[in-house]
Structure formats: structure tokens, C-alpha cells
Amino acid sequence: MIKDTLTNELVLTNVECKTWREAIQISGNLLLKAGKIKEPFIGSMAKVVEELGPYMILLPKVCFFHGQPGENVNEPCLSLIVFKDSVYFDDFENQEIKCAFAFGAIDSDSHMQMLMKVAQLLQNEEFISLITSNGEKDKILEIIQKY
């Protein structure tokens, strides 16, 4: 399931990025370009961080941006960007991230199966090592293919 969602065009490595806002824009643009979301969804991801802080840092250095489910999401979707250098939430105690997922949902229920698969993927130590150390895209995609 993840292999069908997190495809080659939705994964970027060696991304040069300075701020969490820029990370949201880049990861959201992947979903926008693929037709998975509408433009306002990217702003809703930033609004979630502004209102709630960086609680979406799921594991050390791994961020899971998301926005409001609904009409600005065309289908449940996921993208992944891996940064060349660390990105910091400078307005939130300089919490560090090395990669970011962007996640979109059409409602509050339909994406639960995908989230369960993401949780399984995030238990793979080799995958975590690759996404937090700017690993090679081919190796990241190879692991994703197993999920």
C-alpha cells in the first residue's frame, strides 16, 4: 500500500531547505504537482504548525506535516523529502528535522490503513537511518517497496 502511495515522484532526497515553512512548501508542492491536493492545503499544513507547534515530529529528526482533512485533498496522499542539511523549527526551541513527510486526508477515517503502514515503515531501522542521513533515493524507495 505505501509503495503505491509513496512513489518515485513523491520522494525527493538531497533537498536544500532553510526553514520548516519552506519544507512544507516543497513537500506540499510534490503532492500538488501529482494532483493529490489543491493549493490551499499547503497553507493549512503551515497553519497546523503555527497553531500547535511542532508536535508532528514523530521520531527524532522525522517530521509528519499534515493539514485539515477535506475538500482541498483529492485523495489520501503522502510525500517525503530528505534534507541535505538539518532544518530547525527556530520559532519552536530549534527542534531539528532531517526529513519530512507531507500527509493529506480526505476525511477523518479513510486514511487510517495508510497511517498504519507508515507506522510499520517507521519501525524499519535501515529506513530511519537513510531518511535521517540524506540516504540515496534508490535505497529509500527499495525499502518502501516492501511495505
Side-chain angles (χ1 to χ4, degrees):
M1 172 173 227
I2 291 297
K3 68 179 182 179
D4 300 324
T5 305
L6 200 52
T7 57
N8 182 56
E9 65 273 2
L10 294 173
V11 176
L12 282 181
T13 57
N14 209 34
V15 174
E16 293 191 25
C17 183
K18 301 284 185 219
T19 68
W20 63 265
R21 290 177 188 280
E22 189 178 355
I24 286 175
Q25 192 67 49
I26 294 167
S27 58
N29 280 342
L30 288 175
L31 297 174
L32 183 65
K33 184 177 177 184
K36 309 288 186 185
I37 63 167
K38 297 176 180 120
E39 178 80 35
F41 185 74
I42 297 171
S44 79
M45 288 192 292
K47 188 173 182 175
V48 167
V49 177
E50 290 166 355
E51 292 178 355
L52 303 173
Y55 78 91
M56 67 284 306
I57 298 176
L58 300 178
L59 300 167
K61 303 179 184 174
V62 179
C63 189
F64 200 75
F65 292 121
H66 61 87
Q68 186 69 31
E71 65 184 21
N72 289 318
V73 179
N74 299 325
E75 62 185 86
C77 54
L78 192 63
S79 67
L80 170 63
I81 60 173
V82 178
F83 307 121
K84 181 177 179 181
D85 299 305
S86 295
V87 173
Y88 295 91
F89 284 81
D90 55 358
D91 33 0
F92 298 104
E93 300 175 7
N94 279 326
Q95 292 191 51
E96 176 189 19
I97 57 174
K98 293 289 289 177
C99 64
F101 290 89
F103 167 70
I106 56 174
D107 56 33
S108 58
D109 298 322
S110 62
H111 59 280
M112 297 311 280
Q113 188 72 18
M114 182 171 61
L115 287 181
M116 288 173 28
K117 291 294 184 186
V118 170
Q120 290 175 349
L121 180 61
L122 292 176
Q123 292 176 28
N124 183 308
E125 291 180 26
E126 182 182 2
F127 181 75
I128 295 298
S129 177
L130 286 167
I131 65 173
T132 58
S133 64
N134 195 24
E136 293 179 31
K137 182 176 179 176
D138 289 345
K139 290 182 180 179
I140 291 169
L141 288 168
E142 184 178 309
I143 293 172
I144 290 169
Q145 288 299 308
K146 298 175 185 173
Y147 288 85

